[in-house]
């Protein structure tokens, strides 16, 4: 029984080939370092954080716009009241 083992690696994937003379069975094992999975997970987390930031930014802009609209409405009401007071002041008693 003669075993021949060949191992190769390219820095990311390790490959091990074992050959035996009995029965002609060849076993091939391939192993990855898992770095690709970690990088993919990190990218996914960054995308989720970026999406949350943009959603919050949009909500802040909407709140700012609502506040300005409300303030403009208050100024309009105040100007109307001043105009009505001016009309009332010019009426003879």
């Amino acid at each position: 029984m003669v075993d021949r083992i060949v191992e190769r690696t390219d820095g990311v994937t390790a490959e091990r080939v074992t050959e035996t003379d009995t029965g002609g069975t060849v076993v091939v094992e391939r192993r990855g370092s898992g770095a690709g999975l970690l990088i993919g997970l990190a990218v996914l987390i960054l995308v989720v954080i970026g999406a949350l930031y943009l959603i919050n930014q949009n909500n802040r802009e909407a709140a700012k716009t609502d506040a300005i609209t409300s303030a403009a409405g208050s100024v309009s009401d105040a100007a109307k009241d001043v105009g009505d007071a001016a009309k009332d002041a010019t009426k003879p008693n």
Side-chain angles (χ1 to χ4, degrees):
M1 179 166 141
V2 176
D3 288 341
R4 187 178 82 135
I5 299 173
V6 178
E7 293 185 23
R8 286 178 275 185
T9 184
D10 62 359
V12 176
T13 304
E15 180 179 73
R16 179 180 175 150
V17 178
T18 305
E19 296 179 7
T20 59
D21 268 348
T22 59
T25 303
V26 176
V27 178
V28 177
E29 296 177 19
R30 289 195 173 113
R31 297 180 193 166
S33 65
L37 180 63
L38 291 175
I39 291 171
L41 186 62
V43 169
L44 179 64
I45 290 171
L46 288 175
V47 167
V48 168
I49 290 172
L52 289 174
Y53 174 78
L54 291 176
I55 288 170
N56 284 335
Q57 183 74 15
N58 190 24
N59 289 342
R60 279 184 269 166
E61 288 295 323
K64 212 184 291 185
T65 301
D66 290 344
I68 291 171
T69 303
S70 175
S74 296
V75 168
S76 172
D77 291 342
K80 189 175 185 180
D81 290 343
V82 168
D84 291 343
K87 282 183 186 177
D88 290 342
T90 59
K91 287 184 184 178
N93 288 336

